[in-house]
Structures are given as structure tokens and as C-alpha cells.
């Protein structure tokens, strides 16, 4: 059904026949869910979120825009048509100053939301999804999230291969993304690796001592083979290990298993730094807690 909405969205956009006042439902969720439908850019959303932190109140249409509900014009129409409630009351003045705070509740067309100046998400990525906002061969991971998060510029923090499952962070904060992905931070990432053949003590020893990865690329240039080592390896069963890495090379886990004479059959990331995937279901997501965000931003932690 969601795919049909997206197809209908593109058809309506091509004919330029969509108007807010002509629809019984707010189009932010149904007919206009993708970024191409809204010209407002992610930096504009970020600027509005920063402005909202001033504590002097923000016009309701600007507040909605900062949360990813479309252009300011779109948000004015939503308010005018009575789709927005704040503190349980319908507000139809788009210029009304909202004295908001973090996690302030509001609703749009009966659906509840919370104001967030920044978005930090933990997703349990299923196989078959690309970690890109412009996927080519498969659906993108952003399709697993509410459409408003794509509107406000939420991006995957790093990447997982299309066939890899597990923990993926997403955020609309560039500084946070850099703190997680920067090689200077050495964030340990733990993977559960199911190998084709039993992983013996000799292979574990090789992984800890380091293996040569061939055909490593830097930009378009193929560099000399490099040596990479696991920070830790724990045997979970005959064919399954927990592998901890602090680097982030292309297909690194799969290439390391191949280098010791084995093959990676299934791969799941279970933690990044001090934050673990936990019991969240495949394809489900949650917001990170404030404590988790602070811990992930910290360079050194236990």
C-alpha cells in the first residue's frame, strides 16, 4: 500500500494537480511522502530546529517545518485546515507562538508526535535494504522510518551491506555522524558472524593477529595490501563468532573471514560502542536515549 501511495505521489506531482485544500487528509503522510515532494532542504530544517532552541517560542508553521512536515506554505495550509493540535487544542493560526520544549507533544491529523530538536535513531536493519538515501537496486533503509524523518534530513550513520542485518544508527546531526564514523574515534563495533565452516582456534588466532586485505581502495586508486586485526573474537558456537572491529574497511568482516580460509554466510551487527541492539525486532526502530547519545559522542569510554 505504501508503494502505491508513492507511485500516486509521483503521478500527481508530474501533473501538478495536487492542492492541500482539495484533500481530506494531510498529504505529508499519504500522497507526498518523499523528499522530492518538498523543496525545503535539510540545512533549512536544521536551522529552524536551532532557532527553536532559543526558548522565545516559534511560529507554529515554522515548528512543523522544522519537524519535517513540508515547506512553510504546506504547514500553513495544514494549520489553516485544522489538522494540527497543541496541548489537545486545535490551533488554526499558523503564526501562533508555541512555547515548546524537547518532547513537547502535538498531533497532526490525529497522529501523535513529539517535538525533537535533533533526531537520533537505532534501527534493526533487515537484509535487502540499502544504507542510502538514493538506493539503486533495493529499497533504502529510510523507507522503514516515518516519512517526516526523511523530510528533515535524517541519514544513515555509516553503512551496512545490503545483506547484513542488525544495528544501524541514523541522525540528522552531522557532528554526531562524524563522531561515530571518524576513524580517530575507534568506536568498537561488534558483529555476530556465521561462517560456512567451523571457526577453529587457528583462525581465531589469525583474526586477532591480523590478516592482509588485498585490493584496498583509496578513492579510485588501488593501494597496497593492508593488515587489519580484530580487537576481540569470542566463539559462540562451532560456526559462529562475535567479532569486534574498530576499523571500517569495505566488506571488512567478509574479507577477513576469507583471508583465514573461511566464508561469511550471515552477518549481524549487535553493538556500536556502549550501545547494544537489544531485543528490538527486525525492521523496528527506537529513539536513542539522551544518555546513549552522550556516550556515543564520547571518544573514550569503558
Amino acid at each position: 500500500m505504501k508503494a502505491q501511495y508513492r507511485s500516486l505521489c509521483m503521478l500527481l506531482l508530474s501533473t501538478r494537480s495536487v492542492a492541500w485544500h482539495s484533500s481530506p487528509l494531510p498529504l505529508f503522510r499519504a500522497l507526498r511522502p518523499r523528499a522530492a515532494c518538498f523543496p525545503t532542504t535539510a540545512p533549512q530544517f536544521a536551522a529552524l530546529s536551532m532557532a527553536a532552541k532559543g526558548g522565545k517560542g516559534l511560529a507554529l508553521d515554522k515548528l512543523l517545518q522544522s519537524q519535517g512536515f513540508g515547506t512553510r506554505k504546506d504547514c500553513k495550509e495544514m494549520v489553516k485546515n485544522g489538522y494540527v493540535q497543541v496541548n489537545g487544542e486545535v490551533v488554526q493560526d499558523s503564526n501562533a507562538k508555541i512555547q515548546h520544549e524537547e518532547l513537547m507533544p502535538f498531533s497532526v491529523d490525529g497522529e501523535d508526535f513529539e517535538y525533537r530538536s535533533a533526531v537520533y535513531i537505532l534501527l534493526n536493519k533487515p537484509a535487502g535494504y540499502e544504507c542510502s538515501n538514493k538506493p539503486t537496486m533495493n529499497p533504502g533503509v529510510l523507507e522503514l522510518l516515518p516519512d517526516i524523518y526523511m523530510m528533515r534530513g535524517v541519514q544513515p550513520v555509516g553503512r551496512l551491506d545490503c545483506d547484513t542485518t542488525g544495528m544501524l544508527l541514523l541522525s540528522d546531526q552531522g557532528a554526531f555522524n562524524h563522531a561515530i564514523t571518524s576513524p580517530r574515534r575507534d568506536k568498537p563495533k561488534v558483529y555476530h558472524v556465521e561462517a560456512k565452516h567451523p571457526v577453529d582456534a587457528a583462525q581465531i588466532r589469525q583474526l586477532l593477529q591480523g590478516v592482509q586485505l588485498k585490493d584496498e581502495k583509496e578513492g579510485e586508486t588501488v593501494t597496497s595490501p593492508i593488515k587489519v586485526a580484530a580487537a576481540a573474537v569470542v566463539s559462540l558456537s562451532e560456526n559462529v563468532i562475535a567479532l569486534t572491529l574498530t576499523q571500517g574497511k569495505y566488506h571488512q568482516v567478509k574479507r577477513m573471514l576469507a583471508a583465514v580460509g573461511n566464508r561469511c554466510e550471515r552477518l549481524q551487527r549487535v553493538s556500536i560502542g556502549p550501545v547494544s541492539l537489544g531485543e528490538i525486532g527486525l525492521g523496528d526502530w527506537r529513539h536513542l536515549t539522551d544518555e546513549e547519545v552522550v556516550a556515543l559522542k564520547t571518544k573514550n569510554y569503558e
Side-chain angles (χ1 to χ4, degrees):
M1 182 63 71
K2 196 169 184 179
Q4 293 175 335
Y5 278 141
R6 291 195 175 101
S7 298
L8 181 57
C9 170
M10 298 309 296
L11 175 63
L12 291 173
L13 286 174
S14 66
T15 60
R16 299 185 181 275
S17 61
V18 178
W20 274 97
H21 64 270
S22 65
S23 173
L25 292 174
L27 301 184
F28 81 88
R29 188 174 66 246
L31 300 183
R32 298 172 64 179
R34 311 314 291 169
C37 306
F38 300 103
T40 306
T41 63
Q44 286 175 296
F45 286 129
L48 287 167
S49 292
M50 290 298 293
K53 293 179 180 179
K56 298 180 180 179
L58 192 67
L60 182 55
D61 57 345
K62 287 187 176 181
L63 184 145
L64 293 170
Q65 185 185 8
S66 77
Q67 300 301 286
F69 287 93
T71 65
R72 192 171 178 186
K73 179 180 178 181
D74 292 329
C75 294
K76 284 180 179 290
E77 288 294 326
M78 291 168 59
V79 175
K80 177 182 176 181
N81 291 331
Y83 289 124
V84 181
Q85 290 188 349
V86 179
N87 295 325
E89 300 290 335
V90 174
V91 181
Q92 292 183 274
D93 179 5
S94 61
N95 294 316
K97 299 295 183 182
I98 305 300
Q99 299 295 333
H100 60 283
E101 58 184 13
E102 202 71 12
L103 304 183
M104 179 201 77
F106 65 97
S107 65
V108 178
D109 190 39
E111 185 173 349
D112 293 332
F113 297 90
E114 294 176 329
Y115 171 82
R116 294 179 183 272
S117 58
V119 174
Y120 306 99
I121 287 172
L122 186 158
L123 167 72
N124 187 357
K125 176 190 170 298
Y129 284 83
E130 296 181 22
C131 293
S132 172
N133 62 343
K134 295 180 180 179
T136 54
M137 303 296 293
N138 299 278
V141 291
L142 293 175
E143 295 189 23
L144 298 169
L145 303 179
D147 297 314
I148 59 171
Y149 292 136
M150 187 174 187
M151 300 304 109
R152 63 181 289 172
V154 168
Q155 298 288 333
V157 181
R159 294 178 181 272
L160 289 176
D161 293 340
C162 188
D163 60 349
T164 299
T165 65
M167 183 174 172
L168 180 69
L169 301 178
L170 302 99
S171 178
D172 61 351
Q173 301 297 302
F176 176 80
N177 295 6
H178 177 73
I180 303 302
T181 59
S182 172
R184 296 182 179 181
R185 298 298 182 115
D186 292 333
K187 295 283 189 227
K189 301 175 180 67
V190 180
Y191 299 84
H192 284 178
V193 187
E194 181 179 337
K196 182 175 183 179
H197 309 290
V199 184
D200 58 31
Q203 291 177 343
I204 291 176
R205 186 166 55 252
Q206 283 181 274
L207 292 170
L208 290 170
Q209 291 175 347
V211 297
Q212 295 285 342
L213 297 184
K214 299 179 180 180
D215 300 325
E216 182 66 18
K217 286 188 175 182
E218 184 175 340
E220 297 299 321
T221 304
V222 177
T223 63
S224 301
I226 61 170
K227 190 173 185 178
V228 295
V233 181
V234 177
S235 179
L236 302 179
S237 67
E238 187 177 53
N239 287 59
V240 180
I241 58 173
L243 182 73
T244 303
L245 298 177
T246 56
Q247 311 103 324
K249 302 296 183 183
Y250 178 70
H251 287 171
Q252 183 172 344
V253 175
K254 297 174 182 178
R255 293 163 69 196
M256 289 179 70
L257 263 288
V260 300
N262 213 319
R263 175 173 175 168
C264 177
E265 294 288 287
R266 291 182 180 83
L267 183 60
Q268 178 193 35
R269 184 158 67 191
V270 296
S271 68
I272 299 176
V275 181
S276 299
L277 182 61
E279 299 300 321
I280 186 170
L282 196 64
D284 293 338
W285 62 277
R286 66 173 177 85
H287 290 283
L288 293 176
T289 66
D290 291 343
E291 293 76 15
E292 288 173 329
V293 172
V294 171
L296 285 165
K297 287 180 178 179
T298 303
K299 183 173 181 180
N300 298 312
Y301 47 79
E302 298 297 328

